[in-house]
Amino acid sequence: FAFKGCQKIRGAQIRVLLEAKEFFLFDCDGVIWHGENAITGAAKVVNALIRRGKNVVFVTNNSTRPRENYVNKFTRLGFTDVMLDQIFSSSYCSALYLRDVVKVRGQVFVIGCEGLRTELLEAGIPCVEEEEDDPDATIYNCALAPDVKAVLVGHDDKLTFLKLAKASCYLRDPECLFLATDNDPWHPLSGGRILPGSGSLTAALEVASGRKATVIGKPSRFMFECISSQFSGVDPAQCLMVGDRLETDMLFGSNCGLDTMLTLTGVSQIEEAQEYRSSDLTTNHSYVPDYVVDTIADFLPAFEE
Ligand code: PLP
Ligand code: CA
């Protein structure tokens, strides 16, 4: 399309693009919702795409909930047609990776929220039991499980020094895999506050272990492989990846050969995309979106007859 290339598109251009694409991948936070609030018009857009027979899937790096919780959240926020098999979260894809790719034998030590453990257990992957809060437990006197074959790091709002210490011990064994649900540095909260992301926890363990984690979530290609294996005939050329963060969503799309769209309702600004575009470093060009919109609600006029 003549209008392709890191610029805002509107009206007829959006209509042409939506007609041309068959498969829509939406990032969640910053595109579909902000925390518990749906982005205005997003539900209408998603419902309209689904009713027009387009394939719609959601790719989120948020590892804190099992997929069932996302279905409930979608319904609660007015996305009435979204089903379990449309949801690809970094926790679900981590479970698939452990089960189907590395076929882990032994237990997984999880740094993460309960939802991540739930997702692993549903896939039949044994996790080291969470210990009760024993104020006297330290790395000097605690027990270590003998058969830990992977350490998986996700977002953990109950992180303790002891968990980091145990993970560091398990990672001494070169046979023990080191995985991260995602590598997100931080997440925006309202009022200018932020939440440190899993990437910050993974970084701590990378330093302690001298190893590099394998990242499952965006921008790694693995989430797209999960989608391709569950939907037959996904052609990258017919996909549009819509996201709000250049370093995760646009790079993910680019890594998977998908057209990318930045929506300005989240983390990244159009100026940052333009800076990447004018960079001499060609690797920076993978962060540049093919299209930009202010919000996915800009799709709505395209559905009017
Ligand atoms: N992980 C956590 C813990 C989050 O809170 C968020 C966003 O709120 C994300 C990841 C990023 O999610 P997404 O990939 O849907 O933007
Ligand atoms: Ca996002």
Side-chain angles (χ1 to χ4, degrees), residues 29 34-36 62 155 186-196 267:
D29 204 75
H34 289 132
E36 274 306 308
N62 192 328
H155 184 83
W186 54 272
H187 305 289
L189 298 176
S190 57
R193 299 189 178 193
I194 66 160
L195 208 57
V267 170

Side-chain angles (χ1 to χ4, degrees), residues 104-105 107-109 147-152 166-179 209 211-212:
V104 70
R105 304 247 177 276
Q107 297 194 82
V108 178
F109 183 74
D147 58 341
V148 172
K149 291 288 182 261
V151 167
L152 173 63
K166 284 184 180 176
S168 310
C169 292
Y170 292 128
L171 290 171
R172 301 285 292 178
D173 175 1
E175 308 258 285
C176 177
L177 299 170
F178 183 11
L179 309 176
S209 66
R211 298 174 56 178
K212 277 273 169 211

Side-chain angles (χ1 to χ4, degrees), residues 27-31 218 244-245 248-249:
D27 163 69
C28 292
D29 204 75
V31 173
K218 299 169 290 182
D244 70 308
R245 197 170 208 153
T248 50
D249 304 315

